[in-house]
């Protein structure tokens, strides 16, 4: 039987840890983010986290059912940070674009955490708030419920897929990332036009373009599709 996790207020330590802090779920998640940044997912263990917090590792299980539960909480934190930096304007397209970029940016600020959590569903309050917001924008724009759900899935999966892809690159060692980036000049740019005419013709553009994420371009393409569906249904198309 899984261990029951009681509400945070019922499990808050009355006494500070050896480092003089009072543990909370938020404090543990933020410490885990720092540990992921410094040591990667393999370095995130209850023992190391407890040592960083000045607490016995078993104390963590008063807040989380296990390390997988902690991973979900980390994903929820990243979602919440995206929503915190987003402000609604009432323009469905501008709002969706800004929110998508905020989610993508929030995950990329913590590449190791993004790799660990981008494919997870936390079911926690801040993630739920993001989902509610996206669906509200889509339904408020005039989409039917089936269309809103369809585009919601496309929107959030697109943001998280690119977050995982781009974070995976950022999580590489600097040496490996540099080698990959230089490949466009060292290999692609030197392919002969006789055997690779299309690459040879676009090599300079490829070398410049492939250093940037394609997410904004693909996000705009998705938003164009939503606008087209709204226009076809007689709703408000994008300006």
């Amino acid at each position: 039987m899984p261990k029951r996790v009681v509400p945070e207020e019922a499990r808050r330590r009355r006494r500070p840890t050896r480092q003089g802090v009072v543990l909370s779920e938020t404090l543990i998640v933020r410490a885990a983010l720092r540990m992921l940044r410094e040591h990667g997912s393999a370095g995130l263990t209850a023992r190391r986290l407890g040592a960083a917090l000045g607490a016995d590792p078993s104390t963590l299980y008063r807040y989380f059912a296990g390390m997988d539960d902690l991973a979900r909480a980390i994903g929820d934190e990243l979602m919440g940070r995206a929503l915190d930096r987003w402000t609604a304007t009432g323009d469905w397209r501008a709002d969706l674009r800004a929110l998508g970029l905020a989610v993508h940016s929030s995950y990329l600020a913590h590449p190791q955490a993004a790799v660990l959590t981008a494919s997870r569903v936390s079911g926690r309050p801040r993630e739920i708030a993001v989902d509610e917001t996206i669906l509200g924008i889509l339904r408020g724009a005039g989409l039917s419920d089936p269309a809103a759900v369809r585009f919601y899935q496309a929107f959030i999966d697109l943001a998280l897929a690119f977050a995982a892809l781009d974070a995976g690159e950022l999580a590489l060692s600097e040496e490996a990332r540099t080698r990959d980036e230089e490949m466009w000049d060292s290999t692609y740019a030197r392919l002969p036009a006789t055997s690779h005419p299309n690459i040879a013709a676009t090599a300079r553009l490829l070398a410049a373009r492939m250093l940037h994420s394609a997410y904004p371009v693909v996000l705009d393409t998705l938003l164009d599709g939503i606008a087209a569906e709204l226009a076809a249904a007689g709703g408000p198309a994008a300006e």
Side-chain angles (χ1 to χ4, degrees):
M1 178 180 296
K3 187 181 296 184
R4 186 174 68 92
V5 178
V6 298
E8 183 173 359
E9 60 273 13
R11 43 190 156 86
R12 183 183 293 274
R13 283 173 58 110
R14 295 178 182 274
R15 294 176 300 172
T17 67
R18 293 189 298 273
Q19 295 185 354
V21 298
V22 176
L23 285 184
S24 68
E25 185 173 295
T26 299
L27 185 68
I28 294 170
V29 167
R30 291 176 179 172
L33 282 170
R34 291 193 299 272
M35 190 160 292
L36 283 167
R37 183 171 59 248
E38 296 169 2
H39 304 291
S41 58
L44 180 62
T45 65
R47 180 183 62 81
R48 282 189 173 183
L49 192 53
L53 292 165
D56 188 280
S58 63
T59 305
L60 304 178
Y61 295 100
R62 291 176 59 84
Y63 296 83
F64 301 99
M67 295 304 289
D68 188 68
D69 190 31
L70 174 58
R72 294 174 189 271
I74 292 170
D76 189 57
E77 174 70 12
L78 296 181
M79 278 289 183
R81 291 184 181 191
L83 194 59
D84 288 345
R85 66 168 59 103
W86 174 84
T87 302
T89 67
D91 179 326
W92 73 264
R93 180 168 186 142
D95 287 347
L96 278 179
R97 191 176 197 280
L99 184 54
L101 293 174
V103 170
H104 183 255
S105 176
S106 179
Y107 277 78
L108 260 58
H110 298 275
Q112 300 283 2
V115 172
L116 178 67
T117 66
S119 63
R120 307 305 302 275
V121 179
S122 78
R124 285 172 167 263
R126 304 185 85 185
E127 176 189 84
I128 291 172
V130 172
D131 295 340
E132 175 70 13
T133 299
I134 297 167
L135 285 165
I137 295 171
L138 292 168
R139 295 179 75 236
L143 289 172
S144 66
D145 285 352
V149 169
R150 174 162 45 87
F151 282 119
Y152 155 78
Q153 181 190 30
F155 178 86
I156 197 63
D157 282 2
L158 182 68
L160 293 175
F162 269 99
L165 175 66
D166 296 338
E169 179 183 353
L170 293 176
L172 293 172
S173 68
E174 184 175 351
E175 179 183 0
R177 189 165 61 251
T178 299
R179 282 201 307 269
D180 284 359
E181 292 174 351
E182 290 177 345
M183 200 69 68
W184 296 103
D185 285 317
S186 65
T187 300
Y188 279 78
R190 298 182 181 183
L191 292 172
T194 52
S195 58
H196 300 83
N198 298 303
I199 292 177
T202 60
R204 182 178 59 82
L205 296 172
L206 283 171
R209 178 64 248 175
M210 297 305 290
L211 298 181
H212 305 279
S213 174
Y215 176 60
V217 175
V218 184
L219 174 59
D220 284 335
T221 301
L222 173 62
L223 297 176
D224 287 343
I226 297 174
E229 183 147 336
L230 282 170
E239 294 295 332

